[in-house]
Amino acid sequence: MTLPIPAHFDPDGASRVWRVPYAERATHARAWADTHGVGPACEDARRTCLLLVDCQNTFCLPDHELFVAGRSGRGAIDDNIRLARLIYGHLDSITEIVATFDTHTALQIFHPLFWVDPTGNHPVGGQTVITPEDIDGGVWRPNPAVTLPGRDPAWTARYARHYVRRLAEGRYALLVWPYHAMVGGIGHALVSTIEEAVFFHSVARATSPRVEFKGLNALTEHYSVLAPEVTDDHDGQPVAAANTALVDHLLAFDRIVIAGQAKSHCVAWTVHDLLDAITARDPGLAARVTLLDDCSSPVVIPGVADFTDQAERAYASFADAGMRRVPTTDF
C-alpha cells in the first residue's frame, strides 16, 4: 500500500534551494505518522535501507557546478521529484536512509589548482583530460606552489604520474573537474526537496539517517562511496582504503534500495563495488538490491560527453547479476 503524499510537498521545489521549516515539518511528521499508523523504524520486521548517492545541489540543480541533466535536460530535477514521492509514499517500509555526500576542497588531484602547464596556467575544469602521455610530455605537471602534508614535490610528481596511469588503465582517464561539492558550501548540501523528505522520515519514524562523506582525500577521486579510485602510491604504500564498514552495514538489511546521481558515475561505481563485495561473500545477496531506474540520470554534456549508454550497460550487468531494476511505480 502506498501512503498519501503530505500536503507540504511541492514538486516545483526540486529545481531550487530553499530553507526547510524544521519545527513545522516535525510537528506535521509526528501527526502524519499517528494518522496513518506509521510506527518507529526499530519495529520493522523486514528492514529496508534507502541509499541516496550524492543528492546534492552541486549535481541536482541547473545553476550549480555539475548538474546531471541527462538527455532530457531535466534529469536530476525529475529524478528527485519521483524520489521524494517514493520516500513519502513508502515511508512506513523504509527503515533507514543512508545519504552519501561528495565532499571536496580546492586542492585535490582532480581540481584545477593541482595542475599547471609549462607557463603556469591551470587546466579548465570540465574541459581538460590529462593522460599519461601529457605527463610524460610535460603538458601538465603538479603545481609546484602547492604543498601536500608530509609529501615533498618529488614524491608528488611521482605519485601524479602513477595516479594518471592507474586511472587510464581503469575506469576513466583523469578529467579535471570544475570545483564542486566544496565542503561547507551551498553545493555540498542535500537538495532541499530531498533534505525535507529525509527530515520528515526521521521524525515520523523516530530514527536518524546515516551520513557518509567521500572525496576529501587529496590524492584520489572517490566516485564510489565504498572504495576510492586508487588505494596505493607508486611505492605500493596505502593512500586510501575501502569503506568496508558501510558494506557490512548495507548487507545487514533485508533490502537495499539505491538512487542518486550520477547514474553513470557515482551511482554506477557504488553499485559495482557493492556487487564485488556481494560476489565475494554470497552471490545470492544480489537479490536484496533494488535499483530505482527513474531516480538516477547519466552525465550528459551536449557536444562534449554522453554517458547514457555506459550507464545502461552497467545497470544491465547489475540486473544480470541478480539485482532488481524498477521504476518507482513498481517499488
Side-chain angles (χ1 to χ4, degrees):
M1 182 183 72
T2 302
L3 295 167
I5 305 301
H8 68 256
F9 174 63
D10 177 12
D12 291 339
S15 61
R16 55 189 173 82
V17 176
W18 42 274
R19 185 187 66 82
V20 175
Y22 300 117
E24 180 181 340
R25 288 294 170 269
T27 299
H28 290 171
R30 289 192 295 270
W32 187 90
D34 289 343
T35 297
H36 298 288
V38 176
C42 63
E43 296 179 355
D44 287 358
R46 183 171 186 255
R47 300 176 68 250
T48 294
C49 174
L50 175 60
L51 175 61
L52 303 182
V53 178
D54 300 357
C55 294
Q56 298 162 266
N57 291 325
T58 199
F59 304 113
C60 294
L61 297 180
D63 58 345
H64 283 252
E65 300 84 9
L66 290 176
F67 174 56
V68 180
R71 287 181 175 171
S72 72
R74 284 181 52 90
I77 296 172
D78 292 335
D79 293 338
N80 286 328
I81 292 171
R82 290 184 286 265
L83 180 55
R85 288 186 180 278
L86 178 131
I87 292 172
Y88 292 125
H90 297 275
L91 189 139
D92 58 336
S93 62
I94 298 171
T95 309
E96 180 180 276
I97 295 175
V98 175
T100 78
F101 287 78
D102 208 32
T103 306
H104 302 313
T105 61
L107 180 54
Q108 297 196 262
I109 201 166
F110 46 81
H111 275 161
L113 180 61
F114 192 92
W115 300 96
V116 292
D117 66 13
T119 60
N121 294 312
H122 299 296
V124 178
Q127 299 180 28
T128 304
V129 174
I130 298 178
T131 67
E133 292 73 24
D134 292 331
I135 301 294
D136 293 341
V139 177
W140 297 107
R141 64 186 175 109
N143 183 353
V146 305
T147 302
L148 298 174
R151 313 294 188 181
D152 60 33
W155 185 96
T156 302
R158 292 195 301 273
Y159 177 77
R161 185 176 185 274
H162 162 81
Y163 181 79
V164 171
R165 286 193 174 278
R166 285 286 297 274
L167 286 194
E169 295 165 357
R171 297 174 180 178
Y172 307 101
L174 175 59
L175 173 65
V176 179
W177 294 102
Y179 298 111
H180 67 286
M182 302 297 285
V183 63
I186 192 70
H188 185 253
L190 283 178
V191 67
S192 299
T193 290
I194 300 304
E195 182 200 359
E196 181 177 52
V198 171
F199 178 77
F200 194 87
H201 173 272
S202 295
V203 176
R205 305 232 55 204
T207 189
S208 293
R210 178 175 174 132
V211 175
E212 293 283 338
F213 296 102
K214 65 180 178 69
L216 269 173
N217 191 321
L219 297 173
T220 180
E221 290 166 281
H222 214 303
Y223 293 118
S224 165
V225 70
L226 300 178
E229 296 304 298
V230 173
T231 58
D232 54 14
D233 69 10
H234 44 281
D235 294 322
Q237 297 302 305
V239 295
N243 191 344
T244 55
L246 181 57
V247 171
D248 293 341
H249 183 75
L250 293 174
L251 293 180
F253 286 88
D254 301 298
R255 188 183 188 191
I256 308 156
V257 182
I258 302 176
Q261 304 305 332
K263 190 175 190 177
S264 53
H265 286 70
C266 294
V267 178
W269 288 113
T270 294
V271 178
H272 175 278
D273 289 342
L274 180 60
L275 181 57
D276 278 352
I278 285 171
T279 301
R281 300 182 188 201
D282 175 3
L285 294 173
R288 295 187 183 184
V289 181
T290 296
L291 308 177
L292 295 177
D293 245 340
D294 57 352
C295 290
S296 299
S297 291
V299 171
V300 177
I301 306 171
V304 177
D306 185 334
F307 289 92
T308 304
D309 293 340
Q310 289 94 323
E312 176 56 32
R313 286 195 293 270
Y315 268 50
S317 71
F318 302 148
D320 289 343
M323 295 181 177
R324 184 168 175 250
R325 294 178 65 179
V326 299
T328 50
T329 51
D330 292 343
F331 180 80

